[in-house]
Amino acid sequence: MKELNRAAEWFTDSVIRRMTRIAIAHDAINLAQGYPDFDPPRELTDRLAEVSAAGPHQYAVTMGAPNFRRALAKKCGRYMGREIDPEREIVVTIGSTEAMVDTLFALTNPGDQIILFSPYFESYMAQIRMAGCEALFVPLAPPAYGFDPNALEDAFRKGVKAILVCNPSNPTGKVFTEAELLCIAELAERYDAYVIMDEVYEHIVYAPNRHVYMAALPGMWERTVSCGSLSKTYSITGWRLGYAIAPERIMQRIRQYHDFNAVGAAAPLMEAAIAGLELPESYYDGLAARYARMKALFTGGLDAAGIPYADPQGAYFVLADVAPLLKPGQSDMEFCEWMAREVGVACVPGSSFFREDVRGIIRLHFAKKDETLIEALSRLGGIKKKLGAAHKLYNM
Ligand code: GLN
């Protein structure tokens, strides 16, 4: 029979979501796919109950329900420090994943090159390939995950169309400093490249680190697309509400792709989620404080278990080094399957994030209730004796 689509040969299924299926099969605690096991704020769930009776239950306009877009523009504008026009500069998407795909299609033509930092969130490679583009990698060096500005400029010099930056970063937990963002911005301007930001963890940042919005830096609004999501901020990953913010010229293109790919996000969920967007500033402070407590509990447990890791500055992931536990020839995927089956904790193999050949790095997330984390840590504590001090990637 005739050949199927070729671009898809460049990627597999999502390893993160494969690990969720493996976790379910082994009844393991899922510290692989990052999502909370606690409830969203009552304001959202109460409102959802009302909306279930009152509607809307039919399509909203394709770019997102007007009242949702207005509330979103207001909330995002407050944090970004600029007025955002809900009529012209926002589209509501099915999760930020759709926002990223629409953006990549809107900005590129087949054969274009996109700069990615490595490690990177696994979706990006698949999305870049879907758009017929190629990724150019610039490494982030552990344990601090800084980048070499000269290596970055070398990549820009190749005539790239865009750079894609996840900030705060999944999987490293890196929060780019203002100086680093200014360096990226200066290169993007000098080499006339677009900047695609994935900022879904914007509100999960650990003091003294601070989230700086690329689009708010001088001269950057015109060339930046900011992709975001309500998933992490309001603990509603299953609602699949994401968005892109961009200047009108770019937004028109993004909306064309959204229109024909998605029709629109779920109308009742947009209506209910307005209650989240209208929460006061104290909600976001509380969220960051809650995650800081979860991080302290989880990393404290990793310390006690003798598992080396890089301390995250933001987001809710840790990259841990378990290399001494791998048997000779065992792949990190095989190791993660063993962890789910024998230890009862599911995590993601590092190889799905790194361009470089890494072995024995796993990603764990801690967006979980205390009791879930305590149980996971007690299971992880069981592998302590198998960990030698011989090999340490991170100097912790
Ligand atoms: N962003 C989350 C993670 O990295 C969820 C990924 C997904 O399945 N969309 O685990």
Side-chain angles (χ1 to χ4, degrees):
M1 292 205 296
K2 283 191 176 152
E3 186 191 24
L4 297 174
N5 167 268
R6 222 171 289 145
E9 287 167 10
W10 289 93
F11 51 92
T12 62
D13 58 330
S14 153
V15 176
I16 295 175
R17 293 187 282 282
R18 192 192 308 167
M19 287 311 305
T20 285
R21 297 192 292 277
I22 290 173
I24 293 167
H26 296 297
D27 205 16
I29 298 174
N30 188 353
L31 301 189
Q33 188 179 19
Y35 61 88
D37 67 349
F38 43 85
D39 289 334
R42 276 292 298 273
E43 288 85 345
L44 278 93
T45 47
D46 286 354
R47 181 72 190 123
L48 184 60
E50 285 170 17
V51 169
S52 126
H57 294 295
Q58 310 306 329
Y59 300 129
V61 291
T62 181
M63 59 287 281
N67 56 347
F68 181 80
R69 261 182 295 131
R70 276 195 300 276
L72 187 62
K74 200 164 158 203
K75 182 260 165 188
C76 295
R78 195 166 77 231
Y79 283 94
M80 215 179 252
R82 68 168 289 131
E83 207 162 300
I84 296 162
D85 181 349
E87 289 307 316
R88 278 172 278 275
E89 297 172 342
I90 285 191
V91 64
V92 183
T93 55
I94 304 176
S96 63
T97 297
E98 191 221 322
M100 299 290 296
V101 173
D102 294 343
T103 300
L104 281 164
F105 274 88
L107 295 180
T108 66
N109 291 298
D112 281 348
Q113 295 178 312
I114 312 283
I115 299 176
L116 277 188
F117 287 114
S118 169
Y120 58 92
F121 176 48
E122 62 165 11
S123 298
Y124 303 154
M125 264 308 280
Q127 293 165 342
I128 286 171
R129 288 293 186 179
M130 280 185 220
C133 297
E134 264 182 64
L136 279 185
F137 290 95
V138 174
L140 294 174
Y145 293 107
F147 62 87
D148 172 1
N150 295 321
L152 188 59
E153 179 156 11
D154 286 346
F156 271 104
R157 246 190 229 111
K158 296 189 172 131
V160 296
K161 179 57 80 71
I163 179 168
L164 196 171
V165 184
C166 184
N167 183 37
S169 170
N170 176 5
T172 61
K174 174 185 178 63
V175 175
F176 285 78
T177 63
E178 184 160 2
E180 286 174 321
L181 293 171
L182 284 167
C183 168
I184 297 168
E186 195 271 316
L187 289 169
E189 279 199 298
R190 184 137 49 94
Y191 291 94
D192 187 22
Y194 293 105
V195 180
I196 307 168
M197 296 301 300
D198 176 350
E199 297 179 313
V200 304
Y201 301 99
E202 66 195 304
H203 293 293
I204 304 175
V205 175
Y206 308 109
N209 303 285
R210 195 172 65 84
H211 181 73
V212 175
Y213 292 86
M214 177 66 92
L217 294 179
M220 289 311 286
W221 168 255
E222 293 306 325
R223 58 178 69 250
T224 302
V225 179
S226 308
C227 298
S229 167
L230 279 70
S231 292
K232 276 69 184 186
T233 303
Y234 306 104
S235 309
I236 48 170
T237 61
W239 291 27
R240 312 299 301 121
L241 289 178
Y243 54 90
I245 296 174
E248 187 175 6
R249 170 179 168 266
I250 300 174
M251 183 48 65
Q252 279 174 354
R253 277 289 149 95
I254 297 176
R255 283 180 171 187
Q256 284 174 276
Y257 277 93
H258 165 73
D259 200 353
F260 286 103
N261 269 330
V263 180
L269 299 181
M270 282 191 273
E271 182 67 33
I274 292 171
L277 296 168
E278 289 177 344
L279 286 170
E281 222 135 295
S282 55
Y283 170 74
Y284 303 94
D285 296 339
L287 182 81
R290 180 174 189 180
Y291 271 103
R293 283 195 299 276
M294 287 186 264
K295 176 171 100 81
L297 172 63
F298 193 62
T299 56
L302 292 180
D303 288 335
I307 299 174
Y309 60 90
D311 197 37
Q313 301 168 327
Y316 50 49
F317 304 101
V318 283
L319 288 177
D321 180 4
V322 293
L325 282 181
L326 270 66
K327 296 194 202 97
Q330 189 182 33
S331 72
D332 60 356
M333 183 66 213
E334 286 162 349
F335 176 81
C336 288
E337 289 188 76
W338 172 84
M339 280 263 296
R341 198 176 56 242
E342 303 296 331
V343 181
V345 176
C347 55
V348 186
S351 55
S352 46
F353 305 107
F354 282 84
R355 169 68 170 174
E356 300 78 16
D357 205 8
V358 293
R359 197 161 175 274
I361 293 180
I362 56 172
R363 191 196 75 172
L364 298 145
H365 85 91
F366 52 82
K368 292 283 177 268
K369 291 178 193 151
D370 285 2
E371 61 257 41
T372 312
L373 291 178
I374 289 165
E375 176 56 31
L377 286 166
S378 114
R379 295 180 189 189
L380 288 169
I383 63 176
K384 180 180 180 178
K385 54 185 175 301
K386 299 176 190 161
L387 264 173
H391 171 106
K392 278 198 176 184
L393 176 65
Y394 304 118
N395 303 315
M396 309 299 295

